[in-house]
Amino acid sequence: MSELRRRVWLVTLGSVSAFGLYEVLKTLIFPHLSSWPSHLISMAAVGVLSFLLLRFSLARYVVLGTESQRQTEILQATNRMLTTVLAGLREGVVIVNSEMVLVMSNNAARSILKVDWQAGDGSRVSIAVPGLNPAPDRVETTPGPNGAAWQRPIRLADAVRDPVIYGAFKQALEERKDVQSRVELTARGRRNYMLTVTPVGPDLAVGVFYDVTELERLERVRREFFSNLSHELRTPLTSIVAFSETLLAGAIDDPENKLPFLEKLHKHAVRMTALISDISDLSSIESGSIKLDLERISLREAADEVVALVEPAAEANKIAVRVSVPQDIFVEADRMRLGQILQNLVDNAIKFNRAGGHVAISAEEKDGYARVRVEDTGPGIPALDLPRIFERLYRVDKSRSRQVEGTGLGLAIVKHLVQAHGGEISAASELGRGATFTFTLPSAVSHTVEQDRPDGVTGASPQQAPLNQPTKHLY
């Protein structure tokens, strides 16, 4: 605006100076010219000068108007793009001015902060800031006298009742430096955020909320995994060192004790080997490098094979294992991996069961999938532990789990193997009434299947035929 005034004054001064110079020259050249001819000459000169000045001014106005329109279009396009980008961001963005008044926020920020963006009368709520021209849907309207409406700004302290957030913005505005804070919000479920506030311009600060809830959960799982892994490795290693030292100290010559010591050494070495093997398997499965040799398998036959393998453990614990799988259900699966899935689930059902209890294996076919259930009559799984039982080395009852032999990786391996086959697995339980694990596998088609999957799984031709075997019980 000051530039325009300056130009107006320059044009005016130039015009006056030019007219004054004209009068001086006219008087010097025509000293005896009468008034009427002088006026006529002056009118002609003024007309020509005015025409030239107006033409110049109009030309400049057109240029400036075109440039102004172009800049306006660029600004509008930039605003639309910025609005679209902010609306699509998963991170919450909030802008606050030096008076701690909200200037702008995107949808993610409104969802994160749980701000009520509706006024008491149901009208839209947003922000009115002095010196800015907010859009109609970004103004908080409150009924006034005689039904009139008035606008008021929304302060950060009114919108967000969190001293950490308020303090971060205030510190950034006062000290003019970036501020980072960890924020925990519990309005609708516990979520953790990393808030970064950056000063912008003389009196604005931009705050960005990054959701780190999942990252912190994964870090907690990682720490627990390594803690549990170190315990699982330390226990057999300690026993191996102790027994080997005892043998080296002279027990090797003791015919009565050396054999039991060697048996215990072998037992713990086998336990470590199993743990390392399971870790290797799980790593291969999770990385997607495992290859499945798919074939048409009788689910009943696979279940019976697993029951035969766990028969000694079931008899030792007086657990009855019942198989109620229809003979006409076939699945498209890797034979070894299917056995691994079933054996892990049945092993757990036997280990974590009560004396005299039972384990039931059943299945049904629906919508192109075979749904298999493994039920036990054990103590059950607490509701808080159910979402985590498929994590690596996670223990529900740590005091009892340490007494039961196993690597603690079985359910994690089962989950990834089921998913590698294109199925799903879930667990349901009620304390005191046992637990039920349910997983699905694709049903096998009756014709030859030959397919290549993007995860490296290869298909094979069907081989197995249904076996006419009765329901099997183990006691």
Side-chain angles (χ1 to χ4, degrees):
M1 197 68 180
S2 59
E3 179 65 18
L4 180 60
R5 289 197 187 96
R6 189 178 68 83
R7 291 189 177 187
V8 170
W9 278 107
L10 287 176
V11 171
T12 303
L13 182 59
S15 300
V16 172
S17 301
F19 187 74
L21 180 61
Y22 157 75
E23 287 293 338
V24 171
L25 293 175
K26 185 185 69 170
T27 302
L28 292 176
I29 296 172
F30 306 105
H32 302 295
L33 191 64
S34 61
S35 60
W36 282 106
S38 176
H39 289 330
L40 290 174
I41 294 172
S42 297
M43 290 176 63
V46 169
V48 172
L49 181 61
S50 298
F51 173 77
L52 294 175
L53 288 174
L54 285 173
R55 186 179 178 85
F56 174 79
S57 299
L58 286 174
R60 293 297 300 169
Y61 176 78
V62 171
V63 171
L64 291 175
T66 304
E67 180 64 20
S68 176
Q69 183 179 1
R70 190 178 73 86
Q71 294 293 337
T72 300
E73 291 175 353
I74 293 175
L75 181 61
Q76 290 175 348
T78 303
N79 286 339
R80 286 194 297 269
M81 181 175 65
L82 178 62
T83 301
T84 303
V85 170
L86 288 176
L89 283 177
R90 296 178 59 185
E91 292 78 16
V93 180
V94 175
I95 300 180
V96 175
N97 66 11
S98 57
E99 297 179 357
M100 301 302 289
V101 172
L102 292 172
V103 175
M104 191 196 73
S105 64
N106 64 349
N107 295 333
R110 301 180 186 188
S111 176
I112 291 170
L113 301 178
K114 311 301 179 189
V115 178
D116 184 8
W117 298 95
Q118 294 288 331
D121 61 345
S123 59
R124 288 291 298 168
V125 174
S126 191
I127 305 151
V129 181
L132 298 180
N133 184 22
D137 65 339
R138 300 187 62 79
V139 178
E140 179 178 357
T141 57
T142 305
N146 302 322
W150 54 280
Q151 302 174 354
R152 67 177 178 86
I154 300 178
R155 298 186 62 82
L156 181 63
D158 297 331
V160 182
R161 305 289 184 176
D162 192 301
V164 176
I165 298 176
Y166 187 89
F169 276 97
K170 190 171 184 62
Q171 182 181 352
L173 286 167
E174 290 178 350
E175 300 179 6
R176 311 305 300 171
K177 68 177 184 180
D178 292 356
V179 177
Q180 286 191 341
S181 299
R182 182 184 178 279
V183 180
E184 184 176 308
L185 300 177
T186 59
R188 299 177 188 176
R190 187 178 299 275
R191 305 294 296 179
N192 299 325
Y193 297 90
M194 184 59 67
L195 171 61
T196 302
V197 184
T198 303
V200 178
D203 61 348
L204 294 177
V206 179
V208 181
F209 292 83
Y210 300 92
D211 192 338
V212 295
T213 307
E214 184 65 14
L215 290 176
E216 292 186 353
R217 187 190 72 82
L218 292 175
E219 176 62 20
R220 184 173 62 254
V221 170
R222 185 190 67 83
R223 289 196 302 267
E224 290 179 0
F225 169 72
F226 282 108
S227 174
N228 291 332
L229 180 60
S230 64
H231 179 88
E232 295 294 334
L233 290 172
R234 187 184 301 113
T235 301
L237 278 174
T238 301
S239 298
I240 289 173
V241 170
F243 287 123
S244 61
E245 287 179 347
T246 304
L247 289 171
L248 290 173
I252 190 67
D253 297 324
D254 184 351
E256 183 180 350
N257 292 320
K258 67 178 181 180
L259 185 58
F261 281 6
L262 289 173
E263 289 175 347
K264 290 177 181 178
L265 276 173
H266 180 264
K267 173 184 175 182
H268 289 293
V270 169
R271 179 179 175 184
M272 284 193 62
T273 302
L275 177 60
I276 293 171
S277 176
D278 280 351
I279 292 175
S280 178
D281 278 352
L282 185 58
S283 177
S284 299
I285 296 169
E286 290 181 336
S287 65
S289 60
I290 188 173
K291 303 294 182 181
L292 300 181
D293 294 324
L294 299 182
E295 56 181 294
R296 186 169 180 261
I297 301 174
S298 167
L299 191 57
R300 172 58 181 269
E301 179 185 353
D304 286 339
E305 290 176 356
V306 168
V307 169
L309 290 174
V310 301
E311 183 175 359
E315 292 178 347
N317 291 277
K318 299 181 180 179
I319 304 296
V321 181
R322 302 187 178 98
V323 181
S324 303
V325 178
Q327 300 171 353
D328 58 349
I329 296 182
F330 291 80
V331 293
E332 194 75 18
D334 182 293
R335 179 174 297 275
M336 184 184 72
R337 299 301 180 180
L338 175 58
Q340 194 173 359
I341 292 170
L342 288 170
Q343 186 168 354
N344 270 304
L345 293 177
V346 176
D347 269 340
N348 277 354
I350 293 173
K351 290 175 184 176
F352 300 97
N353 211 324
R354 58 179 175 80
H358 70 267
V359 176
I361 307 171
S362 59
E364 62 180 354
E365 194 170 17
K366 184 178 181 182
D367 299 330
Y369 282 86
R371 184 177 300 274
V372 185
R373 286 183 297 274
V374 178
E375 304 173 68
D376 65 60
T377 55
I381 303 171
L384 291 176
D385 292 309
L386 271 175
R388 301 191 60 188
I389 58 173
F390 294 105
E391 293 179 7
R392 295 169 293 182
L393 294 174
Y394 183 75
R395 302 281 189 171
V396 175
D397 184 355
K398 294 181 174 56
S399 60
R400 186 186 173 194
S401 296
R402 301 306 181 192
Q403 301 170 4
V404 178
E405 291 186 3
T407 64
L409 296 173
L411 290 180
I413 292 174
V414 166
K415 181 190 74 170
H416 288 288
L417 285 177
V418 169
Q419 291 175 347
H421 281 83
E424 297 178 349
I425 186 168
S426 61
S429 179
E430 185 177 346
L431 283 178
R433 297 191 176 183
T436 301
F437 287 83
T438 305
F439 68 92
T440 59
L441 292 175
S443 297
V445 294
S446 58
H447 55 80
T448 300
V449 176
E450 190 70 38
Q451 65 181 21
D452 292 322
R453 298 189 180 180
D455 57 1
V457 178
T458 58
S461 60
Q463 297 178 6
Q464 301 300 319
L467 299 177
N468 296 320
Q469 296 182 1
T471 299
K472 186 170 184 178
H473 300 267
L474 285 182
Y475 296 94

